[in-house]
Amino acid sequence: MLFENLVSASETGAAGEITPAEIYYLAESVDDSLVKMYQLEGTYDKKRISNNLRPRNVFEKALDVTEKFNMLHNHAIDRNRLAEASKVADMSRVTPADTYAVLSLIKDYMTKEGVFAEYTGEKSPKTPSDVFHLMRQLSWRCSEIAKKKGIVTNWASPAQVYESAVTTLMPAVQAMAGEAGLKYEDYPFPRQPVSSVVPRYNYNLLCHVYNNISKYYMYKKGNYEPVVFLEVNDCDDISPADVFDLAQIVASELRANIGIRPLSPETAANYARWKESHAEILPGHVFRLIQYNFILSKKVLEGRSEQ
């Protein structure tokens, strides 16, 4: 399998090549250091999202973690350095070295402050999926630190998921429809949310949207290997943070395949007006938005099957 070969190569690496294991244990060092620094308690016990993630998915999550860390520490990481580390010419060619460079900004700051503790335990080979799951843990740590510091954020909230879906998911699905010659109505940003929606519903629906998108890429490119998401059942504790983690994986796949697609000026203006009138964004708002993308992406696939 192509993906397994890529993982194997990235684990062993050529001389001087950064491996997923090196990123993992750097992240482990940061995690251990944060626990000691803030006397954090609790264990991150979430199940994995997927077992076949790619370096680009990890890179996307590492940027999120680093931005959160920087906010918690009065923007101690130089913005120019962060911008440089986050800049990649082609998302489809992101390597573990790109992610290592981003996380090293956190290490450099903690080392300067004398609070960085290098991981000294036993080490083993790791995959990008291992690293991504640890990044989710680091993101959770950041949320715990924000609570301790009394810093109000929109992390782990439906608002964060909604923003990602509007700015990344919707333009990509609309671009698919445009390429397929499908006429569609723009999203009307309805005021009322769907009632009785829990994050698990949004999580499952977003998986279905990605499934439609991945089938489209497979038709179009022929060699696209979809990310396989692990099944979520009624017993799983799914939070808005989990939905956002899933959205970040989808976002990195979209950028790798079609690049960044901006909202149309009219849609952007409509969204801005909608946000101004909504002090709180609920899971039911997110569900309506993801549902629009699901229906539109399904129509694109149905159109292809008729050709």
Side-chain angles (χ1 to χ4, degrees):
M1 297 292 290
L2 174 61
F3 176 73
E4 291 173 346
N5 291 338
L6 288 173
V7 169
S8 176
S10 64
E11 283 180 356
T12 54
E17 182 181 339
I18 297 295
T19 67
E22 288 176 275
I23 304 171
Y24 184 94
Y25 290 110
L26 173 56
E28 187 73 67
S29 300
V30 171
D31 187 69
D32 291 345
S33 301
L34 287 175
V35 168
K36 294 175 184 176
M37 186 177 175
Y38 290 100
Q39 298 180 329
L40 300 176
E41 298 178 353
T43 303
Y44 187 74
D45 57 1
K46 293 286 186 177
K47 67 187 287 185
R48 284 170 175 252
I49 288 181
S50 170
N51 287 324
N52 76 322
L53 297 178
R54 290 86 185 242
R56 59 181 174 248
N57 309 136
V58 181
F59 180 75
E60 185 84 14
K61 193 63 196 169
L63 289 176
D64 175 58
V65 168
T66 306
E67 290 281 3
K68 289 175 178 175
F69 179 91
N70 208 24
M71 177 180 172
L72 292 173
H73 298 88
N74 298 316
H75 302 284
I77 297 174
D78 181 78
R79 298 299 303 181
N80 291 328
R81 289 190 65 198
L82 182 54
E84 186 62 30
S86 63
K87 192 187 305 178
V88 289
D90 185 349
M91 196 69 170
S92 67
R93 297 182 180 275
V94 165
T95 68
D98 296 315
T99 302
Y100 194 88
V102 171
L103 275 189
S104 291
L105 298 177
I106 297 178
K107 175 186 176 180
D108 291 348
Y109 169 76
M110 297 185 88
T111 300
K112 181 180 176 182
E113 295 296 308
V115 295
F116 184 76
E118 192 79 46
Y119 176 80
T120 57
E122 187 175 336
K123 297 182 179 180
S124 60
K126 300 295 179 183
T127 67
S129 295
D130 296 323
V131 184
F132 187 90
H133 194 66
L134 184 52
M135 291 294 176
R136 295 177 69 202
Q137 178 172 309
L138 274 176
S139 182
W140 174 70
R141 295 284 191 212
C142 287
S143 294
E144 293 299 296
I145 294 169
K147 290 177 186 176
K148 275 204 163 195
K149 288 190 165 190
I151 298 174
V152 178
T153 73
N154 72 339
W155 305 339
S157 71
Q160 192 181 34
V161 178
Y162 198 92
E163 178 76 15
S164 176
V166 170
T167 59
T168 304
L169 181 65
M170 189 164 69
V173 173
Q174 289 178 338
M176 282 171 47
E179 289 171 358
L182 181 68
K183 293 183 179 180
Y184 62 90
E185 296 292 331
D186 201 4
Y187 187 61
F189 293 101
R191 297 182 62 82
Q192 296 302 318
V194 175
S195 61
S196 304
V197 171
V198 295
R200 184 175 66 254
Y201 298 167
N202 287 327
Y203 190 98
N204 284 326
L205 187 56
L206 183 55
C207 285
H208 287 304
V209 177
Y210 172 74
N211 185 50
N212 290 344
I213 293 170
S214 64
K215 286 179 180 177
Y216 177 80
Y217 288 154
M218 290 168 71
Y219 287 140
K220 185 177 179 183
K221 298 190 174 185
N223 62 348
Y224 177 68
E225 286 193 55
V227 173
V228 179
F229 297 118
L230 300 182
E231 187 175 345
V232 169
N233 57 52
D234 292 346
C235 297
D236 291 321
D237 177 24
I238 301 297
S239 69
D242 301 321
V243 184
F244 182 66
D245 290 338
L246 176 65
Q248 288 199 290
I249 294 172
V250 174
S252 55
E253 290 301 295
L254 293 174
R255 281 198 274 274
N257 282 278
I258 65 172
I260 298 174
R261 297 295 180 100
L263 289 171
S264 70
E266 183 179 355
T267 304
N270 290 338
Y271 178 43
R273 283 192 293 269
W274 184 90
K275 276 203 301 185
E276 287 178 1
S277 64
H278 285 73
E280 182 181 14
I281 297 178
L282 303 173
H285 290 118
V286 178
F287 188 87
R288 277 196 188 279
L289 175 60
I290 298 177
Q291 186 179 49
Y292 166 86
N293 287 281
F294 171 72
I295 293 171
L296 184 54
S297 60
K298 185 178 180 182
K299 286 181 178 178
V300 172
L301 287 183
E302 289 172 346
R304 289 197 65 88
S305 64
E306 293 171 359
Q307 294 176 3

